[in-house]
Amino acid sequence: MRIGLLIALAAAAPSVPTSGNAAAGRDWGFEMALLGERAVVLGASMAGMLAARVAAEHYRTVIVVDRDMPPGHPSRRRGVPQASHGHVLQAGGVAVVDELFPGILDEMVAEGTPTWGDGDLSRVILEYGGHRFLPSGHLPNPVTSYMPSRPFLDWHVMKRLSAIPNVTVLGGHDVVDVTSSEDRTRVTGVLVARRDEAAVLGADLVIDASGRGSRAPVFLEDLGYGRPREDELMINLAYTSQWLRIPPGAIRQHMVALFPKPGEATTVALLNHENDTWLMTVGVMAGAEQARDYTDMVAMARRRAPGHILEVLETAEPVGQVAHYRTPSSRWRRYDEMPRRPDGFIAIGDAVCSFNPIYGQGMSVAALEALALQRSLRKGDTDLPQRFSRAAAKVVRVAWRNAVSADLSLPEVAGERTLAMRVNNKFSDMVLTAVETDPVVNSQFFRVIGMLDSPTRLMRPSILARVVRANLLRLQPTPVSEPALAG
């Protein structure tokens, strides 16, 4: 099919009447308040799909341009290479996805997605910074976790997004450039290409969700605005993942996650996904040798995993091919600091900040950024790039500090360790010491890493008292029993 016809079809997507927009939007699950004729989203990443859903509330048509054709079933896409590896949608991201697509969680559960909602700590094995979480008991304030694989989650979100009448997904296309007004104060669309054909999609708003490889800095420089400053921490992370067939009931836990610790900058994760499928991911940092195959993965797990997990891994049946993934650094493009920006163009998700993925923050940050975009659009499109970038930076900043602080707690990772960071890491270590024994601190820590609560919640007097008590008990010498006297 020729690109001209594809674009004509996209332009002819079902339009929203100029009157009764709010009523029409309610039929689709949201209110509408039009800001323009068309929004174009670059990339059908999780960030792109959630941004498109939000943009559908304010633009007559929304077109999502992606290199991959939309899949007809859950599958790994070439444009999302990290989808072959372990992913966790944190509780904060879960809440946003269910708000934007009501009922989607129930759908996924009905189709086999496992959940953890009773707070039973025996069903998870977590080690963070060398501290093993409390292995038994119940969280006093549990939050339901959902465990879909990344392809399964992506497919359900894509299916829901594609069902919105004013949204069209234009697959199989590359974004070549942006177009602008004559005075370059506004981006007016994008140049898209397929094979040897190209055409312009006009837009009132362009949302770049094209991921870490985003060309937005080049586009902005070509328009005369310069590139954003970048914060970067070199981590030299390498992942290896393998799908496994494990007999039902062989493992009680639904998740095993052993994060790096000083002297052992490795990650071992085993995740139970939909319909009793399992995914194992191991990772190394600071340039250590990557696992080449499943044999190497099990060898790495022997250094970290409990015995009963190792017994299962030794006999598990690998399914499909092993997958590899590398990322050199965590990087934050500081669009929020740019003094000048063209109207009609914003970036979101990994196009702004790509974190060390072992901490499972990326999708949830993208979801919270989508909420920030929703709030920004509801205030109109005046000064939108600046307002949204500042709002998104508040979301990113917390996750960035958490990830960078955790990485720099490892002597294997090179980087400046400021006094503030050393103090923060010392406090984090005290909290994690309490997590080993105190269910209340466990519960609050889960809410922080799940991006439901701010890290400052760990500094409340009631939590601080428990943290101090746990650390003081840790310092007390273990009593030594005296030998019995002969009678």
Side-chain angles (χ1 to χ4, degrees), residues 338-424:
M338 293 187 71
R340 296 173 56 246
R341 297 275 298 280
D343 290 327
F345 185 85
I346 62 173
I348 196 170
D350 281 3
V352 176
C353 187
S354 54
F355 304 90
N356 183 337
I358 67 173
Y359 304 116
Q361 297 175 307
M363 290 193 297
S364 297
V365 168
L368 294 171
E369 285 179 308
L371 280 191
L373 177 60
Q374 186 180 59
R375 290 191 294 267
S376 297
L377 287 172
R378 286 175 177 175
K379 295 179 181 179
D381 59 358
T382 302
D383 200 30
L384 177 63
Q386 288 76 9
R387 288 189 293 109
F388 169 70
S389 294
R390 289 193 292 267
K394 294 179 181 178
V395 174
V396 170
R397 185 173 290 110
V398 175
W400 175 263
R401 286 176 177 171
N402 288 345
V404 169
S405 293
D407 287 337
L408 289 178
S409 70
L410 306 172
E412 294 85 354
V413 176
E416 181 184 3
R417 291 155 172 86
T418 64
L419 176 60
M421 185 172 293
R422 294 197 299 272
V423 170
N424 177 75

Side-chain angles (χ1 to χ4, degrees), residues 235-297:
I235 55 174
N236 294 311
L237 173 73
Y239 263 180
T240 306
S241 293
Q242 175 70 63
W243 287 92
L244 300 173
R245 185 173 289 115
I246 294 174
I251 299 178
R252 170 177 170 75
Q253 290 79 19
H254 80 275
M255 177 172 65
V256 178
L258 310 172
F259 293 97
K261 59 182 179 179
E264 184 66 82
T266 61
T267 298
V268 176
L270 183 64
L271 305 174
N272 181 206
H273 289 312
E274 59 276 358
N275 301 315
D276 212 31
T277 55
W278 290 83
L279 179 63
M280 182 181 179
T281 293
V282 299
V284 296
M285 292 173 61
E289 185 176 356
Q290 182 179 20
R292 294 163 298 178
D293 52 28
Y294 185 60
T295 300
D296 284 351
M297 295 171 68

Side-chain angles (χ1 to χ4, degrees), residues 117-141:
D118 60 3
D120 181 357
L121 289 167
S122 68
R123 292 188 60 203
V124 295
I125 298 176
L126 292 177
E127 185 180 293
Y128 204 97
H131 298 270
R132 185 69 59 89
F133 282 45
L134 190 66
S136 61
H138 286 77
L139 296 175
N141 186 24

Side-chain angles (χ1 to χ4, degrees), residues 119-455:
D120 181 357
L121 289 167
S122 68
R123 292 188 60 203
V124 295
I125 298 176
L126 292 177
E127 185 180 293
Y128 204 97
H131 298 270
R132 185 69 59 89
F133 282 45
L134 190 66
S136 61
H138 286 77
L139 296 175
N141 186 24
V143 175
T144 301
S145 298
Y146 295 80
M147 299 294 295
S149 67
R150 177 65 187 269
F152 195 74
L153 174 63
D154 276 2
W155 182 73
H156 275 272
V157 173
M158 175 69 79
K159 183 173 65 170
R160 281 296 199 95
L161 179 69
S162 300
I164 299 175
N166 64 331
V167 175
T168 299
V169 179
L170 188 62
H173 288 74
D174 290 306
V175 175
V176 179
D177 205 347
V178 297
T179 60
S180 70
S181 59
E182 189 173 347
D183 61 5
R184 299 189 173 186
T185 60
R186 170 175 284 277
V187 168
T188 58
V190 293
L191 178 65
V192 298
R194 184 183 186 186
R195 299 189 183 95
D196 58 348
E197 297 180 313
V200 172
L201 284 175
D204 298 290
L205 176 65
V206 174
I207 303 173
D208 182 1
S210 57
R212 184 182 176 91
S214 162
R215 297 184 64 220
V218 176
F219 297 156
L220 292 175
E221 186 173 48
D222 289 346
L223 291 174
Y225 293 89
R227 295 177 179 236
R229 182 180 71 80
E230 294 184 357
D231 293 334
E232 189 168 31
L233 177 68
M234 302 303 298
I235 55 174
N236 294 311
L237 173 73
Y239 263 180
T240 306
S241 293
Q242 175 70 63
W243 287 92
L244 300 173
R245 185 173 289 115
I246 294 174
I251 299 178
R252 170 177 170 75
Q253 290 79 19
H254 80 275
M255 177 172 65
V256 178
L258 310 172
F259 293 97
K261 59 182 179 179
E264 184 66 82
T266 61
T267 298
V268 176
L270 183 64
L271 305 174
N272 181 206
H273 289 312
E274 59 276 358
N275 301 315
D276 212 31
T277 55
W278 290 83
L279 179 63
M280 182 181 179
T281 293
V282 299
V284 296
M285 292 173 61
E289 185 176 356
Q290 182 179 20
R292 294 163 298 178
D293 52 28
Y294 185 60
T295 300
D296 284 351
M297 295 171 68
V298 173
M300 188 179 296
R302 287 194 192 102
R303 307 205 303 260
R304 306 292 308 275
H308 72 285
I309 298 296
L310 290 173
E311 290 179 6
V312 173
L313 293 179
E314 295 281 1
T315 59
E317 178 186 352
V319 178
Q321 299 297 313
V322 71
H324 297 95
Y325 179 71
R326 288 181 177 273
T327 186
S329 65
S330 297
R331 185 173 60 197
W332 183 6
R333 295 185 173 112
R334 300 306 303 269
Y335 290 107
D336 57 303
E337 294 181 351
M338 293 187 71
R340 296 173 56 246
R341 297 275 298 280
D343 290 327
F345 185 85
I346 62 173
I348 196 170
D350 281 3
V352 176
C353 187
S354 54
F355 304 90
N356 183 337
I358 67 173
Y359 304 116
Q361 297 175 307
M363 290 193 297
S364 297
V365 168
L368 294 171
E369 285 179 308
L371 280 191
L373 177 60
Q374 186 180 59
R375 290 191 294 267
S376 297
L377 287 172
R378 286 175 177 175
K379 295 179 181 179
D381 59 358
T382 302
D383 200 30
L384 177 63
Q386 288 76 9
R387 288 189 293 109
F388 169 70
S389 294
R390 289 193 292 267
K394 294 179 181 178
V395 174
V396 170
R397 185 173 290 110
V398 175
W400 175 263
R401 286 176 177 171
N402 288 345
V404 169
S405 293
D407 287 337
L408 289 178
S409 70
L410 306 172
E412 294 85 354
V413 176
E416 181 184 3
R417 291 155 172 86
T418 64
L419 176 60
M421 185 172 293
R422 294 197 299 272
V423 170
N424 177 75
N425 282 345
K426 178 60 178 176
F427 176 71
S428 296
D429 192 68
M430 292 177 64
V431 171
L432 289 167
T433 295
V435 160
E436 296 179 10
T437 57
D438 191 313
V440 174
V441 180
N442 256 270
S443 186
Q444 184 59 73
F445 192 77
F446 267 110
R447 292 184 65 84
V448 169
I449 63 174
M451 307 186 77
L452 287 172
D453 288 349
S454 164

